[in-house]
Amino acid sequence: MRLRFPMKSAVLAFVVFLVFIPQFSVGIRMIPGRIAAVSTTVGNGFDLGSFVEAPEYRNGKECVSQSSNRENFVSSCDASLVHVAMTLDSEYLRGSIAAVHSMLRHASCPENVFFHLIAAEFDPASPRVLSQLVRSTFPSLNFKVYIFREDTVINFISSSIRQALENPLNYARNYLGDILDPCVDRVIYLDSDIIVVDDITKLWNTSLTESRIIGAPEYCHANFTKYFTSGFWSDPALPGFFSGRKPCYFNTGVMVMDLVRWREGNYREKLETWMQIQKKKRIYDLGSLPPFLLVFAGNVEAIDHRWNQHGLGGDNVRGSCRSLHKGPVSLLHWSGKGKPWVRLDEKRPCPLDHLWEPYDLYEHKIERAKDQSLFGFSSLSELTEDSSFL
């Protein structure tokens, strides 16, 4: 995607367009939330900060309400819902809140989205506290919080090029088939450093053909060999595991997953096997990604790239500012070292960090929210040459 005028002006106009135009999800009724903050300080003095209550996003008349015949109870087992799984922890809480907010704002039927939130057992904020904060921020949200026992995976984790990649919660996606209720047959897994600017139902409707287990945007132009060490490629046996496949890189921060096939195929154990090999012989430098490449690359349902504009956090060592890839955008992903909320707070944001900012419900955004009506915008044709990005 090429912006026609200077980046700063384009980003501001793009932000305004994404946030303040109500008609691109016609099923939504939006009831403004209270400008009131919820602050949570846990017992050990760790302050989670304060969050503004989100607007209440309700289904419009075009939607079939999932709760109309259930006395407002929505089951996590309801297969007619859009099921989204994300992690929830004190370090990335602000990102998770913004991600949920973006999905609700752009969903055609927000009440039909169910969030499966996975919290670490020994996080500085307990799963109970995190659950209370989510409920306070999104009073009508359909969600369930699961507890992830870090000792499940801690002995499988090896050192990575960045310490953050060693967080046990990064590996929760490996255990979704075990963590989520057995009745959950299918789920979208999303990282916490994303925002969605399109209807999440479109991603949910991805078909997994030929008995594929997962779907994700693939990047076959990437140098696949760099995701593994020279010791891997020089091993007489290991490269042979890609025999018969044409492996392509894919980012595990956005995946559509068939949990029935996942459980039947014992894919958790297959991932753990590669992690055990890594402990004995270093075959990669990144964290939770390479085992997924080893198990699935070459057998992934290819999803349009618009659903993972990744790498916006910069590289994994230095961090840097990145621009959008060419083409339409439905999901922006700040994978890499830099996170938008950190850079914004430090007053050294990258230009694209301003695309994340409107979804931030952190308390210090209250004054900005009051001033939303002061913004104006130009036509979409003035923002981009490709009007299909929404």
Side-chain angles (χ1 to χ4, degrees):
M1 180 173 68
R2 295 193 299 275
L3 303 181
R4 287 185 170 179
F5 52 97
M7 173 64 91
K8 202 169 191 179
S9 300
V11 166
L12 177 60
F14 186 32
V15 166
V16 172
F17 182 84
L18 290 180
V19 178
F20 305 122
I21 305 303
Q23 66 263 28
F24 53 172
S25 289
V26 295
I28 290 180
R29 287 191 300 113
M30 188 178 77
I31 304 169
R34 297 190 302 270
I35 302 298
V38 177
S39 181
T40 305
T41 302
V42 297
N44 58 5
F46 188 90
D47 187 6
L48 294 176
S50 302
F51 290 84
V52 178
E53 183 181 316
E56 189 172 5
Y57 298 99
R58 292 293 189 181
N59 285 356
K61 295 180 180 179
E62 298 84 356
C63 302
V64 177
S65 177
Q66 300 300 321
S67 60
S68 58
N69 297 319
R70 298 180 175 85
E71 298 181 351
N72 295 323
F73 173 75
V74 178
S75 171
S76 61
C77 293
D78 191 337
S80 68
L81 300 175
V82 175
H83 292 267
V84 177
M86 300 179 65
T87 58
L88 189 68
D89 69 328
S90 53
E91 183 178 0
Y92 286 88
L93 176 63
R94 196 163 155 192
S96 299
I97 294 291
V100 171
H101 186 203
S102 72
M103 278 179 268
L104 294 176
R105 185 168 187 89
H106 295 281
S108 57
C109 299
E111 291 183 271
N112 297 356
V113 183
F114 194 99
F115 290 88
H116 302 265
L117 305 176
I118 303 158
E121 183 178 17
F122 300 115
D123 190 89
S126 71
R128 181 182 296 276
V129 168
L130 292 171
S131 180
Q132 291 172 343
L133 191 146
V134 171
R135 176 57 69 205
S136 298
T137 308
F138 303 102
S140 59
L141 189 70
N142 299 319
F143 76 98
K144 179 176 181 178
V145 173
Y146 303 76
I147 298 176
F148 177 58
R149 295 184 56 183
E150 291 134 307
D151 58 3
T152 302
V153 71
I154 195 70
N155 292 328
F156 294 112
I157 298 175
S158 56
S159 60
S160 184
I161 60 173
R162 187 160 59 90
Q163 188 173 4
L165 298 177
E166 300 171 23
N167 186 333
L169 202 57
N170 287 339
Y171 295 84
R173 72 198 84 188
N174 299 25
Y175 297 89
L176 289 179
D178 304 283
I179 297 172
L180 303 191
D181 295 326
C183 58
V184 181
D185 293 343
R186 178 184 173 92
V187 73
I188 298 170
Y189 174 81
L190 297 175
D191 275 349
S192 296
D193 51 359
I194 63 100
I195 59 168
V196 176
V197 294
D198 203 343
D199 184 0
I200 193 66
T201 305
K202 297 177 183 177
L203 182 59
W204 176 254
N205 289 334
T206 299
S207 297
L208 299 180
T209 63
E210 299 179 9
S211 299
R212 291 191 174 100
I213 314 301
I214 65 171
E218 289 187 300
Y219 301 88
C220 295
H221 63 279
N223 181 2
F224 190 80
T225 61
K226 72 178 184 178
Y227 295 99
F228 302 94
T229 64
S230 58
F232 173 87
W233 295 113
S234 63
D235 189 275
L238 295 180
F241 283 90
F242 289 118
S243 179
R245 292 190 273 165
K246 294 181 179 179
C248 294
Y249 164 76
F250 64 94
N251 181 281
T252 54
V254 179
M255 295 186 291
V256 178
M257 307 175 69
D258 184 324
L259 294 183
V260 174
R261 295 172 184 168
W262 179 282
R263 296 174 182 119
E264 290 174 348
N266 295 319
Y267 282 92
R268 170 185 62 83
E269 295 178 7
K270 291 174 181 173
L271 294 169
E272 288 178 342
T273 296
W274 282 111
M275 294 170 70
Q276 289 174 320
I277 293 173
Q278 163 76 351
K279 294 282 284 188
K280 297 175 182 177
K281 179 179 181 180
R282 193 168 181 84
I283 59 175
Y284 54 80
D285 293 321
L286 290 173
S288 59
L289 167 66
F292 268 86
L293 297 179
L294 286 159
V295 173
F296 294 108
N299 193 26
V300 173
E301 188 72 38
I303 296 175
D304 194 289
H305 290 176
R306 70 189 302 153
W307 285 104
N308 196 351
Q309 283 265 354
H310 68 285
L312 304 185
D315 62 71
N316 276 309
V317 179
R318 296 182 303 275
S320 58
C321 290
R322 299 282 181 89
S323 58
L324 291 175
H325 310 295
K326 285 185 176 181
V329 181
S330 291
L331 183 150
L332 296 101
H333 187 186
W334 277 262
S335 56
K337 183 178 181 181
K339 302 306 171 190
W341 55 92
V342 175
R343 294 194 292 222
L344 286 162
D345 284 355
E346 294 178 350
K347 300 189 185 306
R348 54 177 187 85
C350 291
L352 291 178
D353 293 344
H354 293 290
L355 300 181
W356 179 90
E357 190 174 17
Y359 303 96
D360 185 13
L361 293 174
Y362 203 61
E363 181 187 13
H364 67 248
K365 298 299 177 184
I366 293 177
E367 291 303 320
R368 179 191 58 77
K370 289 180 180 178
D371 294 334
Q372 286 181 356
S373 60
L374 300 178
F375 286 88
F377 64 94
S378 301
S379 66
L380 178 59
S381 62
E382 293 179 14
L383 299 180
T384 174
E385 294 180 358
D386 186 350
S387 62
S388 64
F389 69 96
L390 292 174

